[in-house]
Amino acid sequence: MSALEENGHASLVRDALRLHRTFSWRRYWIDLLGFLAAWLLVSGFIGFYCWMAQWGK
Amino acid sequence: MKQAHLQIADWAVLLCYLGGITAFGVLVSRRVRDTSGFFLGNRRFGKAVMIAQAMGTGTHSDQAVGVAGAAYTMGLAGIWYQWMWLFTTPFYWLLAPVYRRLRVVTLSDFFELRFGRPYATAYALFAIYILALWQGIAIKGTTVTVSAITGIPEWRIAVVVASVFAIYGISGGLVAAATTDFVQGFFIVFLSFLVLPFGLVQVGGFHGLRAHLDPAFFHVFSSAGGELAPFTVLMLVVSGLVGITVQPHMMAVASSGKTEWNCRVGWTFGNFIKRLCTVGWTLTGVVAAVLYPGLGGAGRERAFGVAVTNLLPAGLVGLMVASLLATVMASCSAFMVDGAALFTRNVYRPYISQNRPDSHYLRVGRCASFAITLLGFVLGVAMPSVVSATVHFVTILPFVGVAFWVGIVWTGANRYGAWASSIGSAVLFFTCQARGISTPWASLYSLAFGFTSIVMVSLATPREPQTRLDRVFHFLDTPVGEEGRLLSSGFHWETEE
């Protein structure tokens, strides 16, 4: 196990079949935080679009 | 409605753009001295270039025209024609480091390491055809729109566009393609929002839109109806997520950054910017529905062009035309380089001429770039019926994507499983379609068969040799920046950082 992998650079995709053994926040925090942030952005886009659909009422 | 013609100011803007982008592309080409630079930019790109590359390669003017057309007839819900990909975008964050860590030049290189040369060659030939086809479709789609705006014959526009991106792409490869994308990206943003202020002023803002249109036009979800039913969207997202991994240009888009972080940020946020631009395309269609209501359902895709010619003043029409051309050149230059990489590395070098100096393969790459562009040009302009007859073959990409996904996460997958999965699921998909089963259900059956068959066949047949598996999985387990571990374990690769 490499030092970088131990500190957040491990890949959720690569480790998908062994996550039950390897999962920890510390190992996957870059994947998890970025993935979560991207979903928040998706929610933000949809929220903004719904808000925009109310303009002019 | 106005008749389309360019004014002197428009010509000035257009010529400045075409001359400037060619000169810029050729200028940055001086940095390219070997195949690694030509095909992958030596994997030195920063975040800004990676974002621009992802946005430029993935955005075509026909998408803007299509979304504006959908919004013209169904209102704000028309955005889902492009926004269905919104739900695949977060996964790019997870996938980018996978591509970067493989440390290969093409996806076919990966398939050769993982499933052997025959599977890799079959993929390479199919991918070259797809890239040429996409070039043809992009050129065709843009020239139709630009011709409608300017009145210039389609073939003349096609020749100019293909010549410009071929000049800088052949000389500078991915370095020129990606660097010019940085400029073209601004033009794509212009394209998306340029018409809107003029249109909104004419209709009286959002209050004016509401006064003229049915309230259903402002429903974000419900108006899409059967065209974009939830199950259809779900299956498009799932098959899109499986298939996008093996789109032939993904290796360059997702792995040419200097660091894993650059690759993640570039691929993910380049696509998010594109999603934002989609809002502009949709609103342009809604504005056109108020101002030019007579186009009808069949003519809805003219909405974008009609809005451009009628709303923009002299000079800005030229800027809009330049922006439309930017989308096609950004995409096609990347497709050209990616196709050349596949031909040179995965067809020419293993089968035609091995062990030649790198400069030889660089020359072959440049010649292949020209040939692939020529093929795309012929497919797009001279033989439109061939394009429409074969474009559905692109739908089998997800069935190769199954082999990629399983090949990445499971060491037990082997070449027999990959072949069985790809061929079996493609045959099943087309059989379902021939029997009248709808595309979403055909996709579901085929993907289920693909994932099941690769596992079952792989379990029943011999594993891949351990050395082959080590080359793939040790690399995947080694983040960029820890290459010393690979070197000390005796591994070498062509694009060593």
Side-chain angles (χ1 to χ4, degrees), chain B residues 357-381:
Chain B
D358 189 69
S359 57
H360 173 80
Y361 295 119
L362 181 59
R363 277 197 301 278
V364 171
R366 286 184 162 135
C367 293
S369 299
F370 178 76
I372 287 163
T373 299
L374 201 61
L375 178 62
F377 186 82
V378 169
L379 284 171
V381 178

Side-chain angles (χ1 to χ4, degrees), chain B residues 50-192:
Chain B
M50 291 298 288
I51 287 173
Q53 185 185 204
M55 185 171 78
T57 307
T59 309
H60 324 297
S61 61
D62 55 294
Q63 295 165 343
V65 170
V67 168
Y72 179 86
T73 52
M74 67 171 66
L76 294 183
I79 200 168
W80 294 107
Y81 276 95
Q82 275 298 312
W83 262 22
M84 64 180 84
W85 307 118
L86 192 58
F87 303 110
T88 64
T89 312
F91 291 91
Y92 302 167
W93 183 266
L94 305 180
L95 283 166
V98 171
Y99 287 94
R100 185 64 180 82
R101 288 182 195 184
L102 283 169
R103 299 169 175 91
V104 293
V105 177
T106 66
L107 267 168
S108 190
D109 291 345
F110 162 72
F111 283 128
E112 180 166 347
L113 289 168
R114 189 66 185 84
F115 299 124
R117 186 167 287 172
Y119 191 89
T121 305
Y123 171 79
L125 293 173
F126 177 63
I128 290 168
Y129 170 71
I130 284 180
L131 288 168
L133 186 67
W134 282 348
Q135 275 196 337
I137 292 169
I139 290 171
K140 180 77 181 173
T142 301
T143 52
V144 167
T145 307
V146 172
S147 179
I149 293 171
T150 62
I152 301 169
E154 286 176 32
W155 69 269
R156 284 192 193 169
I157 300 165
V159 167
V160 170
V161 165
S163 302
V164 169
F165 77 73
I167 288 170
Y168 70 71
I170 288 171
S171 56
L174 195 71
V175 171
T179 314
T180 52
D181 278 357
F182 186 73
V183 179
Q184 322 260 40
F186 290 102
F187 281 90
I188 291 171
V189 175
F190 281 136
L191 170 141
S192 307

Side-chain angles (χ1 to χ4, degrees), chain A residues 2 9 31 49 53 55-56, chain B residues 76 101 207 210 264 482 485:
Chain A
S2 78
H9 289 260
D31 264 8
Y49 198 61
W55 290 359
Chain B
L76 294 183
R101 288 182 195 184
H207 289 286
R210 284 192 180 276
R264 288 179 194 267
E482 292 195 329
R485 287 176 59 212

Side-chain angles (χ1 to χ4, degrees), chain A residues 2-5 9 13-14 17-18 30-31 34-35 38-39 41-42 45 49 52-57, chain B residues 76 79 83 86-87 90 93-94 101 206-207 210 218 220 264 269 272 275-276 282 409 473 477 482 485:
Chain A
S2 78
L4 280 175
E5 276 198 303
H9 289 260
V13 174
R14 162 67 186 107
L17 296 183
R18 51 183 183 186
I30 296 176
D31 264 8
F35 192 58
W39 276 110
L41 209 48
V42 169
F45 270 56
Y49 198 61
M52 197 190 76
Q54 306 300 314
W55 290 359
K57 262 190 175 175
Chain B
L76 294 183
I79 200 168
W83 262 22
L86 192 58
F87 303 110
W93 183 266
L94 305 180
R101 288 182 195 184
F206 278 83
H207 289 286
R210 284 192 180 276
F218 299 90
V220 172
R264 288 179 194 267
F269 291 96
F272 271 127
R275 313 292 177 234
L276 196 60
T282 312
V409 302
F473 289 100
D477 290 335
E482 292 195 329
R485 287 176 59 212

Side-chain angles (χ1 to χ4, degrees), chain A residues 27-46:
Chain A
R27 278 177 57 82
Y28 298 102
W29 70 265
I30 296 176
D31 264 8
L32 288 168
L33 265 188
F35 192 58
L36 184 68
W39 276 110
L40 284 175
L41 209 48
V42 169
S43 310
F45 270 56
I46 295 172

Side-chain angles (χ1 to χ4, degrees), chain B residues 82-427:
Chain B
Q82 275 298 312
W83 262 22
M84 64 180 84
W85 307 118
L86 192 58
F87 303 110
T88 64
T89 312
F91 291 91
Y92 302 167
W93 183 266
L94 305 180
L95 283 166
V98 171
Y99 287 94
R100 185 64 180 82
R101 288 182 195 184
L102 283 169
R103 299 169 175 91
V104 293
V105 177
T106 66
L107 267 168
S108 190
D109 291 345
F110 162 72
F111 283 128
E112 180 166 347
L113 289 168
R114 189 66 185 84
F115 299 124
R117 186 167 287 172
Y119 191 89
T121 305
Y123 171 79
L125 293 173
F126 177 63
I128 290 168
Y129 170 71
I130 284 180
L131 288 168
L133 186 67
W134 282 348
Q135 275 196 337
I137 292 169
I139 290 171
K140 180 77 181 173
T142 301
T143 52
V144 167
T145 307
V146 172
S147 179
I149 293 171
T150 62
I152 301 169
E154 286 176 32
W155 69 269
R156 284 192 193 169
I157 300 165
V159 167
V160 170
V161 165
S163 302
V164 169
F165 77 73
I167 288 170
Y168 70 71
I170 288 171
S171 56
L174 195 71
V175 171
T179 314
T180 52
D181 278 357
F182 186 73
V183 179
Q184 322 260 40
F186 290 102
F187 281 90
I188 291 171
V189 175
F190 281 136
L191 170 141
S192 307
F193 296 100
L194 195 58
V195 181
L196 263 185
F198 297 94
L200 284 172
V201 166
Q202 284 220 7
V203 299
F206 278 83
H207 289 286
L209 286 177
R210 284 192 180 276
H212 288 93
L213 294 170
D214 188 286
F217 257 70
F218 299 90
H219 293 170
V220 172
F221 299 103
S222 58
S223 302
E227 266 189 273
L228 289 173
F231 180 64
T232 306
V233 173
L234 176 69
M235 283 317 300
L236 281 168
V237 169
V238 171
S239 60
L241 191 57
V242 177
I244 199 167
T245 54
V246 289
Q247 286 191 357
H249 57 293
M250 278 310 149
M251 188 56 76
V253 168
S255 81
S256 53
K258 187 173 183 181
T259 63
E260 289 180 12
W261 186 259
N262 292 359
C263 296
R264 288 179 194 267
V265 169
W267 196 13
T268 310
F269 291 96
N271 277 282
F272 271 127
I273 294 174
K274 178 184 171 184
R275 313 292 177 234
L276 196 60
C277 290
T278 311
V279 177
W281 308 341
T282 312
L283 287 177
T284 303
V286 174
V287 166
V290 174
L291 294 176
Y292 317 108
L295 299 179
R300 72 184 194 181
E301 299 211 336
R302 287 174 53 219
F304 193 86
V306 168
V308 169
T309 45
N310 287 277
L311 291 172
L312 292 182
L316 289 187
V317 176
L319 184 61
M320 176 56 83
V321 171
S323 304
L324 287 164
L325 298 183
T327 65
V328 70
M329 292 199 288
S331 304
C332 287
S333 56
F335 295 161
M336 180 178 77
V337 176
D338 299 325
L342 284 160
F343 175 79
T344 309
R345 294 184 54 82
N346 306 112
V347 178
Y348 182 82
R349 196 168 72 172
Y351 293 106
I352 300 172
S353 186
Q354 296 178 8
N355 303 318
R356 302 293 295 272
D358 189 69
S359 57
H360 173 80
Y361 295 119
L362 181 59
R363 277 197 301 278
V364 171
R366 286 184 162 135
C367 293
S369 299
F370 178 76
I372 287 163
T373 299
L374 201 61
L375 178 62
F377 186 82
V378 169
L379 284 171
V381 178
M383 296 191 294
S385 60
V386 171
V387 172
S388 56
T390 58
V391 70
H392 67 277
F393 281 113
V394 176
T395 56
I396 73 169
L397 269 178
F399 313 127
V400 184
V402 170
F404 177 88
W405 275 100
V406 179
I408 289 291
V409 302
W410 185 41
T411 55
N414 68 12
R415 65 190 65 200
Y416 309 104
W419 277 109
S421 165
S422 299
I423 293 174
S425 51
V427 168

